[in-house]
Amino acid sequence: MKPQVNSQFNFADADVTFKSSDGVLFCVHRKNLEVCTEGFPPSEISSEGEVVELTETSVTLEILFQFMYPKRHPALDITPFKVLEPLAEAAEKYQVFPAMNICHIRMRNMIDKHPVEVAVYATKHNYPYLVSEVAPIMIAMDSAKVMEMLPQNLILPWIRYVKQWTNVLHNQALTSPIGYSAADDSHRRAGHSDRSAVDEPYRRARYSDRCTLWPQVVVAILQRLGKGVHVLRSLDEVFNTSASPLDKVQVQSCCMEELKKWRSQIEVAIGKIPKFSVFL
């Protein structure tokens, strides 16, 4: 059976022929490879009818070879990730310079939907700023899933990076800023009457002379934070006083001020976490 030849790359004067992993031939010009890439060394490719087999599919190669000719290049703006990812890898592998930058830009656009895959790509091909940009998003993912997807060389750096977030959770997030100063007076003046809603241990403790609703607020926030380090990426949800169980409590302005301080305390700590690229 005669091999199929790609319709776009079937030049009569082509001097190099490649074969995709799914058996499609691409007849291209050696000069274009020489000018646009470093991964296809022209001197090492025979021009005597030899077919060079590649590991990429015909879908990937058809797009890739378009970047080697003087015409409008593919924009890739609606290219699905299952096509974009192997294309980006091929562009880096063969150093197809016109394709590398646009693939890098499009991969960055996929951070929200495919953070781990983008992190692996960015680490492998030395895009440190992109690694650091995507790593915090991965914190919100299931840690076991992330570990399964990461290559071996990224597992230890990832563990060290997550440890920084865990420290923030334990040392700042799970420690409410209850050492009052000026806020003491506002809490004393709040005059809340619903003391029955406060658990007895809290009344006997440090809260007895303050806003009686504050302990309830603290417990609700701690319960949310206690779900794990991933919630640090969703502080809007953590400090949402309109969500259960705080939706049943009329949170006063004094408590709202303390919540702002608490959240700020967490955000400052997160801002001090080193970028993931530091751990590589």
Side-chain angles (χ1 to χ4, degrees):
M1 182 177 177
K2 189 176 181 180
Q4 177 185 352
V5 181
N6 182 272
S7 59
Q8 289 192 59
F9 298 96
N10 188 20
F11 300 105
D13 59 343
D15 51 6
V16 180
T17 301
F18 294 102
K19 186 177 182 180
S20 67
S21 61
D22 50 349
V24 179
L25 299 180
F26 292 81
C27 305
V28 298
H29 298 95
R30 178 186 302 269
K31 189 64 176 180
N32 293 71
L33 303 180
E34 183 178 335
V35 171
C36 298
T37 81
E38 279 190 357
F40 291 109
S43 61
E44 298 179 13
I45 300 176
S46 172
S47 59
E48 299 178 357
E50 178 184 352
V51 175
V52 181
E53 296 191 5
L54 302 179
T55 58
E56 289 73 27
T57 67
S58 58
V59 172
T60 297
L61 292 180
E62 180 175 300
I63 302 175
L64 187 67
F65 284 129
Q66 291 180 57
F67 286 95
M68 302 182 197
Y69 282 81
K71 61 179 182 179
R72 178 171 291 184
H73 294 159
L76 307 181
D77 51 342
I78 59 173
T79 303
F81 189 77
K82 65 180 181 180
V83 175
L84 177 63
E85 184 181 25
L87 175 64
E89 285 294 333
E92 296 287 342
K93 174 182 177 181
Y94 299 116
Q95 294 286 282
V96 183
F97 301 117
M100 289 168 61
N101 190 52
I102 187 62
C103 285
H104 164 247
I105 293 172
R106 295 309 180 202
M107 286 291 282
R108 184 183 184 186
N109 293 342
M110 295 289 187
I111 284 178
D112 290 336
K113 294 183 178 179
H114 302 278
V116 179
E117 295 92 332
V118 174
V120 173
Y121 157 83
T123 304
K124 181 178 179 181
H125 301 298
N126 193 29
Y127 293 110
Y129 88 92
L130 184 54
V131 176
S132 296
E133 188 174 332
V134 72
I137 299 175
M138 292 162 60
I139 288 293
M141 298 177 60
D142 178 79
S143 58
K145 182 179 179 181
V146 172
M147 295 282 279
E148 289 174 0
M149 297 176 69
L150 288 176
Q152 191 69 32
N153 65 308
L154 290 186
I155 291 180
L156 185 56
W158 177 250
I159 291 174
R160 291 172 175 166
Y161 179 69
V162 172
K163 182 66 163 57
Q164 298 292 316
W165 285 80
T166 303
N167 289 341
V168 171
L169 178 66
H170 292 304
N171 299 333
Q172 277 79 33
L174 294 177
T175 304
S176 64
I178 54 178
Y180 299 137
S181 54
D184 276 305
D185 292 335
S186 63
H187 277 272
R188 292 191 186 99
R189 292 195 300 267
H192 301 314
S193 59
D194 186 16
R195 299 192 64 86
S196 63
V198 183
D199 291 338
E200 182 62 24
Y202 285 104
R203 270 190 304 195
R204 292 199 307 265
R206 65 187 68 185
Y207 302 106
S208 58
D209 62 342
R210 299 188 176 99
C211 167
T212 57
L213 292 181
W214 179 238
Q216 287 181 270
V217 174
V218 170
V219 169
I221 301 301
L222 289 177
Q223 287 176 339
R224 294 171 183 173
L225 290 168
K227 293 179 180 179
V229 68
H230 65 280
V231 302
L232 295 180
R233 288 289 301 170
S234 307
L235 292 182
D236 285 343
E237 296 178 15
V238 170
F239 289 94
N240 183 5
T241 57
S242 299
S244 180
L246 294 180
D247 59 334
K248 301 178 177 63
V249 178
Q250 187 176 357
V251 181
Q252 301 298 313
S253 59
C254 54
C255 294
M256 293 298 293
E257 285 301 314
E258 294 304 317
L259 288 179
K260 289 180 181 178
K261 294 179 183 178
W262 193 351
R263 176 169 180 165
S264 177
Q265 171 179 289
I266 298 172
E267 290 174 336
V268 169
I270 290 175
K272 294 180 180 179
I273 295 177
K275 295 182 177 182
F276 182 52
S277 57
V278 172
F279 301 91
L280 299 178

